[in-house]
Amino acid sequence: MKTIILIISMISALMLTGCKDESKKEKRQNTEAPLTLIDTSKDFEKGLSFYKSDPPNYSQAAKYFQQAAEQNNMEAQLYLAALYESGLGVEQSWTEAIHWFKEAAMQGSVPAQYQLGLIYEKGEGVEKSRSQALHWLTLAAEQGEADAQHQLGWLYMGESETSQASQQSAMKWFQAAAEQGHASAQNMLGWLYENGAAGQPNLDEALKWYQAAAEQNNPYALNNLGWFYWQGKSGTPNKEKALEYFLQAADLGDKDAQLNLGLIYYQGDGIPASVEQAQKWFMRSAEQGNAYAQYNLGWLMQKGEVENASPYAARYYFELACKGGLEKACFALENQSRPPF
């Protein structure tokens, strides 16, 4: 009887010993996982401190981002991709950049999804792929990324002339971005409403979105507002108000507004004519590659309305406009008696 009790006691001790060992193993495993996460986070934070230091140390940042990225730290993957894209701290590599953008994007990083969409749209380091661009931009756009929504709008605009569905998709995404305050999307939404993308022109909505973008000093919206009031689309023409918008847009560098001002000043339409002001605005627009402004500037010089300008200068601007695809500028090179404007 004593022997049996001893055996039972020994078995019980072994069982207890086994349970104790397993418990230690579980505790060890449970403490190891958080340590990995903490270490990864520390690597990312170290990388970020080097990235943001003054001056930045991109090579050290890349080292720590790499360590964290290889442990699936999404933020580190995003930063590392950006360094490879720009060639800061590492040798520039589209292959590496795309790899790490994809790693981050597949974990749900919205900025990474947006960047991948742009990369595939532009064909930077990869073959252009509209389907891939749409895939990644849509993922980011559906999570509320306004820039991705705006870019999707432009992608669909590329097919809007041949596909009503694409036009509606463009309008949908421009609307989504516009409602978030994206100025360029607001301007495009205004243009779509003005030109009947919703089925027929809606000038009230067009004006609303143009004004929203103009309040953010969007030069394209300011120029569009200028035309809106110049043509009297809101009722009767208001050339004084139109001129104000054209001037604001032109001062912000919009080459079309600068061209418009050149024409207005040359023709004296609603304001005193001024060749000097016309030349000024044509020149600013021409310097930005506007072929119409180059053509008009050439004519002013050809007619002798620009001081100290030789016939060679006139020909120079005609050639620029011709190279820019303006057919009448090409004709002007052969027959300079054609009337301007």
Side-chain angles (χ1 to χ4, degrees):
M1 191 70 177
K2 286 181 180 178
T3 304
I4 294 170
I5 291 170
L6 179 61
I7 292 170
I8 292 171
S9 298
M10 288 175 68
I11 292 170
S12 298
L14 287 170
M15 289 175 67
L16 287 170
T17 302
C19 291
K20 199 175 288 183
D21 288 343
E22 286 298 314
S23 176
K24 283 181 179 178
K25 187 177 180 181
E26 286 179 14
K27 285 182 180 178
R28 186 162 59 251
Q29 289 172 342
N30 289 337
T31 56
E32 283 174 356
L35 283 174
T36 302
L37 292 173
I38 292 168
D39 288 343
T40 301
S41 177
K42 283 182 178 178
D43 282 337
F44 172 64
E45 292 299 329
K46 282 182 181 177
L48 202 58
S49 67
F50 281 114
Y51 186 88
K52 293 183 176 181
S53 63
D54 187 16
N57 188 330
Y58 293 119
S59 59
Q60 282 294 98
K63 171 187 170 183
Y64 286 105
F65 287 152
Q66 183 88 33
Q67 290 174 192
E70 289 172 354
Q71 295 296 323
N72 291 323
N73 184 295
M74 183 179 74
E75 292 297 317
Q77 291 167 345
L78 177 63
Y79 275 86
L80 186 60
L83 290 179
Y84 274 113
E85 181 181 18
S86 61
L88 291 171
V90 292
E91 185 177 348
Q92 200 281 335
S93 170
W94 281 110
T95 301
E96 287 294 316
I98 291 165
H99 167 74
W100 290 114
F101 275 136
K102 278 187 177 177
E103 290 293 315
M106 288 188 290
Q107 290 198 68
S109 169
V110 174
Q113 291 165 350
Y114 173 59
Q115 288 301 320
L116 276 174
L118 293 181
I119 286 168
Y120 278 106
E121 182 185 357
K122 296 174 183 176
E124 294 179 316
V126 290
E127 187 177 345
K128 277 188 178 184
S129 172
R130 186 177 183 277
S131 62
Q132 283 292 305
L134 282 173
H135 170 72
W136 293 111
L137 288 173
T138 300
L139 285 178
E142 287 176 344
Q143 295 183 72
E145 171 54 54
D147 285 332
Q149 293 166 344
H150 172 250
Q151 203 64 28
L152 265 182
W154 277 111
L155 265 180
Y156 282 113
M157 276 293 288
E159 298 177 345
S160 62
E161 290 186 6
T162 57
S163 168
Q164 184 66 26
S166 291
Q167 189 175 77
Q168 292 306 309
S169 293
M171 195 160 193
K172 166 191 168 182
W173 290 115
F174 282 135
Q175 180 98 33
E179 288 173 354
Q180 293 196 70
H182 196 292
S184 181
Q186 290 170 338
N187 173 60
M188 278 307 302
L189 190 58
W191 187 88
L192 288 169
Y193 274 117
E194 182 182 359
N195 290 279
Q200 59 183 5
N202 187 330
L203 299 181
D204 288 337
E205 282 294 301
L207 187 60
K208 165 189 166 183
W209 291 111
Y210 282 150
Q211 287 176 333
E215 286 170 6
Q216 298 189 65
N217 288 325
N218 182 280
Y220 307 108
L222 288 164
N223 182 56
N224 286 336
L225 275 175
W227 269 117
F228 204 90
Y229 284 106
W230 190 268
Q231 294 174 323
K233 288 198 171 185
S234 58
T236 56
N238 187 333
K239 293 191 174 183
E240 184 178 351
K241 196 167 189 176
L243 188 62
E244 289 176 10
Y245 283 122
F246 284 141
L247 282 167
Q248 288 180 58
D251 283 334
L252 288 168
D254 184 78
K255 60 185 179 183
D256 291 329
Q258 291 165 348
L259 170 65
N260 291 336
L261 281 175
L263 291 167
I264 289 168
Y265 275 110
Y266 184 79
Q267 296 168 349
D269 194 351
I271 56 171
S274 171
V275 173
E276 290 77 14
Q277 285 293 317
Q279 177 192 342
K280 166 189 167 181
W281 291 113
F282 284 149
M283 182 66 78
R284 289 194 184 180
S285 184
E287 287 170 350
Q288 295 192 70
N290 188 305
Y292 289 97
Q294 292 164 348
Y295 171 76
N296 291 340
L297 194 57
W299 268 115
L300 287 181
M301 293 177 176
Q302 180 66 31
K303 292 174 64 181
E305 296 192 54
V306 176
E307 290 185 10
N308 302 319
S310 71
Y312 295 100
R315 187 170 185 83
Y316 169 75
Y317 283 103
F318 286 144
E319 286 176 348
L320 285 179
C322 181
K323 288 176 183 176
L326 189 62
E327 189 175 355
K328 64 180 179 179
C330 301
F331 291 147
L333 287 171
E334 301 173 1
N335 181 10
Q336 296 186 358
S337 63
R338 187 182 297 272
F341 315 116

Short mmCIF file of all heavy atoms in Angstrom, two decimals, residues 55-106:
data_model
loop_
_atom_site.label_atom_id
_atom_site.label_comp_id
_atom_site.label_asym_id
_atom_site.label_seq_id
_atom_site.Cartn_x
_atom_site.Cartn_y
_atom_site.Cartn_z
N PRO A 55 20.93 69.02 -39.63
CA PRO A 55 20.38 68.58 -40.92
C PRO A 55 19.96 67.11 -40.87
O PRO A 55 20.44 66.36 -40.00
CB PRO A 55 21.58 68.77 -41.87
CG PRO A 55 22.77 68.54 -41.00
CD PRO A 55 22.40 69.10 -39.66
N PRO A 56 19.10 66.68 -41.78
CA PRO A 56 18.67 65.28 -41.79
C PRO A 56 19.83 64.33 -42.09
O PRO A 56 20.74 64.67 -42.84
CB PRO A 56 17.64 65.23 -42.92
CG PRO A 56 17.24 66.64 -43.15
CD PRO A 56 18.45 67.46 -42.84
N ASN A 57 19.79 63.16 -41.45
CA ASN A 57 20.76 62.10 -41.74
C ASN A 57 19.98 60.96 -42.40
O ASN A 57 19.51 60.04 -41.73
CB ASN A 57 21.44 61.63 -40.46
CG ASN A 57 22.59 60.68 -40.73
OD1 ASN A 57 22.58 59.94 -41.72
ND2 ASN A 57 23.58 60.69 -39.86
N TYR A 58 19.84 61.04 -43.72
CA TYR A 58 18.98 60.09 -44.42
C TYR A 58 19.55 58.68 -44.45
O TYR A 58 18.80 57.70 -44.45
CB TYR A 58 18.72 60.58 -45.85
CG TYR A 58 17.91 61.84 -45.91
CD1 TYR A 58 18.42 63.01 -46.48
CD2 TYR A 58 16.61 61.89 -45.39
CE1 TYR A 58 17.67 64.18 -46.54
CE2 TYR A 58 15.86 63.05 -45.44
CZ TYR A 58 16.39 64.19 -46.02
OH TYR A 58 15.64 65.35 -46.07
N SER A 59 20.87 58.54 -44.47
CA SER A 59 21.46 57.20 -44.50
C SER A 59 21.19 56.46 -43.20
O SER A 59 20.87 55.26 -43.22
CB SER A 59 22.97 57.28 -44.78
OG SER A 59 23.62 58.04 -43.78
N GLN A 60 21.31 57.15 -42.07
CA GLN A 60 21.00 56.52 -40.79
C GLN A 60 19.50 56.26 -40.67
O GLN A 60 19.08 55.22 -40.14
CB GLN A 60 21.47 57.40 -39.63
CG GLN A 60 22.97 57.32 -39.37
CD GLN A 60 23.38 55.95 -38.87
OE1 GLN A 60 23.85 55.11 -39.66
NE2 GLN A 60 23.20 55.68 -37.61
N ALA A 61 18.71 57.20 -41.17
CA ALA A 61 17.26 57.00 -41.16
C ALA A 61 16.90 55.74 -41.94
O ALA A 61 16.09 54.92 -41.49
CB ALA A 61 16.55 58.23 -41.74
N ALA A 62 17.50 55.60 -43.12
CA ALA A 62 17.21 54.44 -43.97
C ALA A 62 17.58 53.14 -43.28
O ALA A 62 16.87 52.13 -43.39
CB ALA A 62 17.97 54.57 -45.29
N LYS A 63 18.70 53.14 -42.55
CA LYS A 63 19.16 51.94 -41.83
C LYS A 63 18.10 51.46 -40.84
O LYS A 63 17.75 50.28 -40.80
CB LYS A 63 20.46 52.27 -41.10
CG LYS A 63 20.93 51.19 -40.14
CD LYS A 63 22.14 51.67 -39.34
CE LYS A 63 22.45 50.70 -38.21
NZ LYS A 63 23.57 51.21 -37.38
N TYR A 64 17.60 52.38 -40.04
CA TYR A 64 16.61 51.99 -39.02
C TYR A 64 15.24 51.73 -39.63
O TYR A 64 14.50 50.84 -39.18
CB TYR A 64 16.53 53.05 -37.92
CG TYR A 64 17.74 53.02 -37.01
CD1 TYR A 64 18.73 53.99 -37.11
CD2 TYR A 64 17.88 52.00 -36.07
CE1 TYR A 64 19.85 53.95 -36.28
CE2 TYR A 64 18.99 51.95 -35.24
CZ TYR A 64 19.98 52.92 -35.36
OH TYR A 64 21.08 52.87 -34.54
N PHE A 65 14.87 52.50 -40.67
CA PHE A 65 13.62 52.22 -41.36
C PHE A 65 13.65 50.81 -41.96
O PHE A 65 12.65 50.09 -41.92
CB PHE A 65 13.36 53.25 -42.47
CG PHE A 65 12.96 54.61 -41.99
CD1 PHE A 65 13.25 55.74 -42.75
CD2 PHE A 65 12.27 54.78 -40.79
CE1 PHE A 65 12.88 57.01 -42.33
CE2 PHE A 65 11.89 56.05 -40.36
CZ PHE A 65 12.20 57.17 -41.13
N GLN A 66 14.79 50.44 -42.52
CA GLN A 66 14.94 49.11 -43.12
C GLN A 66 14.70 48.02 -42.08
O GLN A 66 13.98 47.05 -42.33
CB GLN A 66 16.34 48.95 -43.73
CG GLN A 66 16.57 47.63 -44.44
CD GLN A 66 16.17 47.66 -45.91
OE1 GLN A 66 16.28 48.68 -46.57
NE2 GLN A 66 15.69 46.53 -46.41
N GLN A 67 15.31 48.19 -40.91
CA GLN A 67 15.16 47.19 -39.85
C GLN A 67 13.71 47.06 -39.42
O GLN A 67 13.18 45.95 -39.26
CB GLN A 67 16.04 47.57 -38.65
CG GLN A 67 17.52 47.43 -38.91
CD GLN A 67 18.40 47.95 -37.79
OE1 GLN A 67 19.61 48.09 -37.94
NE2 GLN A 67 17.80 48.24 -36.63
N ALA A 68 13.05 48.18 -39.26
CA ALA A 68 11.64 48.15 -38.85
C ALA A 68 10.75 47.65 -39.97
O ALA A 68 9.79 46.90 -39.74
CB ALA A 68 11.20 49.54 -38.40
N ALA A 69 11.05 48.05 -41.21
CA ALA A 69 10.25 47.63 -42.37
C ALA A 69 10.28 46.13 -42.54
O ALA A 69 9.26 45.52 -42.89
CB ALA A 69 10.76 48.33 -43.64
N GLU A 70 11.45 45.53 -42.32
CA GLU A 70 11.56 44.08 -42.47
C GLU A 70 10.78 43.32 -41.41
O GLU A 70 10.54 42.13 -41.54
CB GLU A 70 13.04 43.68 -42.45
CG GLU A 70 13.77 44.11 -43.74
CD GLU A 70 15.26 43.89 -43.68
OE1 GLU A 70 15.77 43.52 -42.58
OE2 GLU A 70 15.93 44.09 -44.71
N GLN A 71 10.40 44.04 -40.34
CA GLN A 71 9.55 43.46 -39.29
C GLN A 71 8.09 43.89 -39.47
O GLN A 71 7.30 43.86 -38.54
CB GLN A 71 10.06 43.90 -37.91
CG GLN A 71 11.44 43.38 -37.55
CD GLN A 71 11.48 41.87 -37.43
OE1 GLN A 71 10.52 41.26 -36.95
NE2 GLN A 71 12.58 41.26 -37.87
N ASN A 72 7.77 44.33 -40.71
CA ASN A 72 6.40 44.68 -41.10
C ASN A 72 5.85 45.94 -40.44
O ASN A 72 4.63 46.09 -40.28
CB ASN A 72 5.43 43.51 -40.84
CG ASN A 72 5.69 42.35 -41.77
OD1 ASN A 72 6.02 42.54 -42.94
ND2 ASN A 72 5.57 41.14 -41.26
N ASN A 73 6.73 46.85 -40.06
CA ASN A 73 6.26 48.14 -39.57
C ASN A 73 5.81 48.97 -40.77
O ASN A 73 6.62 49.36 -41.61
CB ASN A 73 7.37 48.86 -38.80
CG ASN A 73 6.90 50.16 -38.17
OD1 ASN A 73 6.55 51.09 -38.88
ND2 ASN A 73 6.88 50.22 -36.86
N MET A 74 4.51 49.24 -40.85
CA MET A 74 3.93 49.88 -42.02
C MET A 74 4.48 51.28 -42.26
O MET A 74 4.80 51.65 -43.39
CB MET A 74 2.40 49.94 -41.85
CG MET A 74 1.66 50.53 -43.05
SD MET A 74 -0.14 50.53 -42.78
CE MET A 74 -0.28 51.88 -41.59
N GLU A 75 4.62 52.07 -41.19
CA GLU A 75 5.13 53.43 -41.34
C GLU A 75 6.57 53.42 -41.82
O GLU A 75 6.96 54.22 -42.67
CB GLU A 75 5.01 54.18 -40.01
CG GLU A 75 3.59 54.47 -39.59
CD GLU A 75 2.88 55.39 -40.56
OE1 GLU A 75 3.47 56.38 -41.02
OE2 GLU A 75 1.72 55.11 -40.90
N ALA A 76 7.36 52.50 -41.30
CA ALA A 76 8.76 52.40 -41.74
C ALA A 76 8.83 52.01 -43.21
O ALA A 76 9.67 52.51 -43.96
CB ALA A 76 9.50 51.38 -40.88
N GLN A 77 7.95 51.13 -43.64
CA GLN A 77 7.92 50.71 -45.05
C GLN A 77 7.61 51.91 -45.96
O GLN A 77 8.21 52.08 -47.01
CB GLN A 77 6.87 49.62 -45.25
CG GLN A 77 7.25 48.30 -44.60
CD GLN A 77 6.09 47.31 -44.52
OE1 GLN A 77 4.93 47.70 -44.69
NE2 GLN A 77 6.40 46.05 -44.26
N LEU A 78 6.69 52.76 -45.51
CA LEU A 78 6.32 53.94 -46.28
C LEU A 78 7.49 54.91 -46.40
O LEU A 78 7.81 55.38 -47.49
CB LEU A 78 5.12 54.63 -45.62
CG LEU A 78 4.64 55.92 -46.27
CD1 LEU A 78 4.13 55.67 -47.68
CD2 LEU A 78 3.54 56.57 -45.42
N TYR A 79 8.14 55.19 -45.28
CA TYR A 79 9.28 56.11 -45.29
C TYR A 79 10.44 55.54 -46.09
O TYR A 79 11.12 56.27 -46.84
CB TYR A 79 9.73 56.42 -43.86
CG TYR A 79 8.97 57.54 -43.21
CD1 TYR A 79 7.78 57.31 -42.54
CD2 TYR A 79 9.46 58.85 -43.26
CE1 TYR A 79 7.08 58.34 -41.93
CE2 TYR A 79 8.76 59.89 -42.65
CZ TYR A 79 7.57 59.63 -42.00
OH TYR A 79 6.88 60.66 -41.40
N LEU A 80 10.69 54.26 -45.94
CA LEU A 80 11.78 53.63 -46.68
C LEU A 80 11.52 53.69 -48.18
O LEU A 80 12.43 53.97 -48.98
CB LEU A 80 11.94 52.18 -46.23
CG LEU A 80 13.13 51.41 -46.81
CD1 LEU A 80 14.45 52.09 -46.45
CD2 LEU A 80 13.12 49.96 -46.30
N ALA A 81 10.29 53.45 -48.58
CA ALA A 81 9.91 53.54 -49.99
C ALA A 81 10.18 54.94 -50.52
O ALA A 81 10.70 55.12 -51.63
CB ALA A 81 8.44 53.18 -50.16
N ALA A 82 9.82 55.95 -49.73
CA ALA A 82 10.02 57.33 -50.16
C ALA A 82 11.51 57.66 -50.33
O ALA A 82 11.89 58.39 -51.25
CB ALA A 82 9.39 58.29 -49.15
N LEU A 83 12.36 57.10 -49.45
CA LEU A 83 13.80 57.32 -49.57
C LEU A 83 14.34 56.66 -50.84
O LEU A 83 15.18 57.24 -51.54
CB LEU A 83 14.52 56.79 -48.33
CG LEU A 83 14.30 57.58 -47.03
CD1 LEU A 83 15.07 56.94 -45.89
CD2 LEU A 83 14.73 59.04 -47.19
N TYR A 84 13.88 55.46 -51.13
CA TYR A 84 14.33 54.79 -52.36
C TYR A 84 13.80 55.51 -53.60
O TYR A 84 14.48 55.59 -54.62
CB TYR A 84 13.87 53.33 -52.37
CG TYR A 84 14.82 52.41 -51.66
CD1 TYR A 84 14.45 51.76 -50.48
CD2 TYR A 84 16.10 52.17 -52.16
CE1 TYR A 84 15.33 50.91 -49.82
CE2 TYR A 84 16.99 51.32 -51.52
CZ TYR A 84 16.59 50.70 -50.35
OH TYR A 84 17.47 49.85 -49.70
N GLU A 85 12.62 56.07 -53.50
CA GLU A 85 12.05 56.80 -54.64
C GLU A 85 12.89 58.04 -54.95
O GLU A 85 13.15 58.36 -56.11
CB GLU A 85 10.61 57.21 -54.34
CG GLU A 85 9.93 57.95 -55.47
CD GLU A 85 8.51 58.38 -55.14
OE1 GLU A 85 8.15 58.41 -53.94
OE2 GLU A 85 7.75 58.69 -56.06
N SER A 86 13.30 58.74 -53.90
CA SER A 86 14.03 60.00 -54.08
C SER A 86 15.54 59.82 -54.15
O SER A 86 16.26 60.72 -54.59
CB SER A 86 13.69 60.96 -52.94
OG SER A 86 14.07 60.39 -51.69
N GLY A 87 16.04 58.65 -53.68
CA GLY A 87 17.49 58.44 -53.66
C GLY A 87 18.17 59.17 -52.52
O GLY A 87 19.36 59.47 -52.59
N LEU A 88 17.46 59.45 -51.45
CA LEU A 88 18.02 60.11 -50.27
C LEU A 88 18.50 59.07 -49.27
O LEU A 88 17.71 58.26 -48.80
CB LEU A 88 16.99 61.03 -49.61
CG LEU A 88 16.59 62.28 -50.39
CD1 LEU A 88 15.40 62.96 -49.73
CD2 LEU A 88 17.77 63.25 -50.46
N GLY A 89 19.80 59.08 -48.97
CA GLY A 89 20.36 58.15 -47.99
C GLY A 89 20.59 56.76 -48.52
O GLY A 89 21.21 55.93 -47.85
N VAL A 90 20.06 56.47 -49.70
CA VAL A 90 20.23 55.17 -50.35
C VAL A 90 20.38 55.41 -51.85
O VAL A 90 20.10 56.50 -52.34
CB VAL A 90 18.99 54.25 -50.12
CG1 VAL A 90 18.87 53.83 -48.67
CG2 VAL A 90 17.72 54.93 -50.58
N GLU A 91 20.84 54.39 -52.54
CA GLU A 91 20.90 54.50 -54.00
C GLU A 91 19.48 54.45 -54.56
O GLU A 91 18.70 53.57 -54.19
CB GLU A 91 21.73 53.36 -54.58
CG GLU A 91 21.95 53.48 -56.08
CD GLU A 91 22.84 52.38 -56.62
OE1 GLU A 91 23.47 51.67 -55.81
OE2 GLU A 91 22.91 52.24 -57.86
N GLN A 92 19.15 55.41 -55.41
CA GLN A 92 17.78 55.47 -55.94
C GLN A 92 17.43 54.16 -56.64
O GLN A 92 18.21 53.60 -57.42
CB GLN A 92 17.65 56.63 -56.93
CG GLN A 92 16.22 57.09 -57.18
CD GLN A 92 15.44 56.19 -58.15
OE1 GLN A 92 16.04 55.53 -58.99
NE2 GLN A 92 14.12 56.18 -58.03
N SER A 93 16.25 53.64 -56.31
CA SER A 93 15.82 52.37 -56.89
C SER A 93 14.30 52.33 -56.95
O SER A 93 13.63 52.27 -55.90
CB SER A 93 16.32 51.18 -56.06
OG SER A 93 15.72 49.97 -56.49
N TRP A 94 13.76 52.35 -58.17
CA TRP A 94 12.32 52.21 -58.31
C TRP A 94 11.86 50.83 -57.88
O TRP A 94 10.77 50.67 -57.33
CB TRP A 94 11.91 52.49 -59.75
CG TRP A 94 11.85 53.94 -60.08
CD1 TRP A 94 12.67 54.65 -60.90
CD2 TRP A 94 10.89 54.88 -59.58
NE1 TRP A 94 12.31 55.97 -60.93
CE2 TRP A 94 11.21 56.15 -60.13
CE3 TRP A 94 9.81 54.79 -58.71
CZ2 TRP A 94 10.49 57.30 -59.85
CZ3 TRP A 94 9.08 55.94 -58.43
CH2 TRP A 94 9.42 57.17 -58.99
N THR A 95 12.68 49.83 -58.10
CA THR A 95 12.32 48.46 -57.70
C THR A 95 12.09 48.38 -56.20
O THR A 95 11.08 47.84 -55.74
CB THR A 95 13.42 47.47 -58.12
OG1 THR A 95 13.59 47.53 -59.53
CG2 THR A 95 13.05 46.05 -57.71
N GLU A 96 13.04 48.94 -55.43
CA GLU A 96 12.91 48.93 -53.98
C GLU A 96 11.76 49.83 -53.53
O GLU A 96 11.01 49.47 -52.61
CB GLU A 96 14.22 49.39 -53.33
CG GLU A 96 15.33 48.37 -53.41
CD GLU A 96 15.04 47.11 -52.60
OE1 GLU A 96 14.56 47.23 -51.46
OE2 GLU A 96 15.27 46.01 -53.12
N ALA A 97 11.64 50.99 -54.15
CA ALA A 97 10.57 51.91 -53.77
C ALA A 97 9.20 51.26 -53.96
O ALA A 97 8.36 51.29 -53.06
CB ALA A 97 10.66 53.19 -54.60
N ILE A 98 9.00 50.66 -55.12
CA ILE A 98 7.71 50.02 -55.40
C ILE A 98 7.47 48.85 -54.47
O ILE A 98 6.35 48.64 -53.99
CB ILE A 98 7.66 49.59 -56.88
CG1 ILE A 98 7.61 50.83 -57.78
CG2 ILE A 98 6.44 48.70 -57.15
CD1 ILE A 98 7.90 50.56 -59.25
N HIS A 99 8.52 48.08 -54.19
CA HIS A 99 8.39 46.94 -53.27
C HIS A 99 7.88 47.40 -51.90
O HIS A 99 6.92 46.83 -51.36
CB HIS A 99 9.74 46.24 -53.10
CG HIS A 99 9.77 45.27 -51.96
ND1 HIS A 99 9.14 44.03 -52.02
CD2 HIS A 99 10.32 45.35 -50.71
CE1 HIS A 99 9.32 43.39 -50.88
NE2 HIS A 99 10.03 44.17 -50.06
N TRP A 100 8.50 48.43 -51.34
CA TRP A 100 8.11 48.87 -50.00
C TRP A 100 6.80 49.64 -50.00
O TRP A 100 6.03 49.55 -49.02
CB TRP A 100 9.24 49.67 -49.36
CG TRP A 100 10.42 48.80 -49.02
CD1 TRP A 100 11.66 48.83 -49.56
CD2 TRP A 100 10.42 47.72 -48.07
NE1 TRP A 100 12.45 47.84 -49.02
CE2 TRP A 100 11.72 47.14 -48.10
CE3 TRP A 100 9.47 47.17 -47.21
CZ2 TRP A 100 12.08 46.07 -47.30
CZ3 TRP A 100 9.83 46.09 -46.40
CH2 TRP A 100 11.11 45.55 -46.44
N PHE A 101 6.51 50.37 -51.07
CA PHE A 101 5.19 50.99 -51.17
C PHE A 101 4.11 49.90 -51.16
O PHE A 101 3.07 50.04 -50.51
CB PHE A 101 5.07 51.84 -52.44
CG PHE A 101 5.59 53.24 -52.31
CD1 PHE A 101 6.38 53.80 -53.30
CD2 PHE A 101 5.27 54.02 -51.20
CE1 PHE A 101 6.86 55.10 -53.20
CE2 PHE A 101 5.75 55.33 -51.08
CZ PHE A 101 6.55 55.86 -52.09
N LYS A 102 4.36 48.82 -51.89
CA LYS A 102 3.37 47.74 -51.95
C LYS A 102 3.21 47.07 -50.59
O LYS A 102 2.09 46.74 -50.18
CB LYS A 102 3.79 46.70 -53.00
CG LYS A 102 3.41 47.10 -54.42
CD LYS A 102 3.68 45.97 -55.40
CE LYS A 102 3.22 46.38 -56.81
NZ LYS A 102 3.52 45.33 -57.81
N GLU A 103 4.34 46.85 -49.90
CA GLU A 103 4.25 46.23 -48.57
C GLU A 103 3.38 47.08 -47.64
O GLU A 103 2.55 46.55 -46.91
CB GLU A 103 5.66 46.07 -47.99
CG GLU A 103 6.51 45.02 -48.67
CD GLU A 103 5.98 43.60 -48.46
OE1 GLU A 103 5.61 43.25 -47.32
OE2 GLU A 103 5.91 42.85 -49.46
N ALA A 104 3.60 48.39 -47.67
CA ALA A 104 2.81 49.29 -46.83
C ALA A 104 1.36 49.37 -47.31
O ALA A 104 0.42 49.36 -46.51
CB ALA A 104 3.44 50.68 -46.80
N ALA A 105 1.19 49.44 -48.62
CA ALA A 105 -0.16 49.55 -49.19
C ALA A 105 -1.01 48.34 -48.86
O ALA A 105 -2.20 48.47 -48.57
CB ALA A 105 -0.06 49.73 -50.70
N MET A 106 -0.41 47.16 -48.90
CA MET A 106 -1.17 45.94 -48.60
C MET A 106 -1.54 45.84 -47.13
O MET A 106 -2.42 45.07 -46.75
CB MET A 106 -0.39 44.71 -49.07
CG MET A 106 -0.36 44.59 -50.59
SD MET A 106 0.36 43.05 -51.21
CE MET A 106 2.09 43.28 -50.80
#
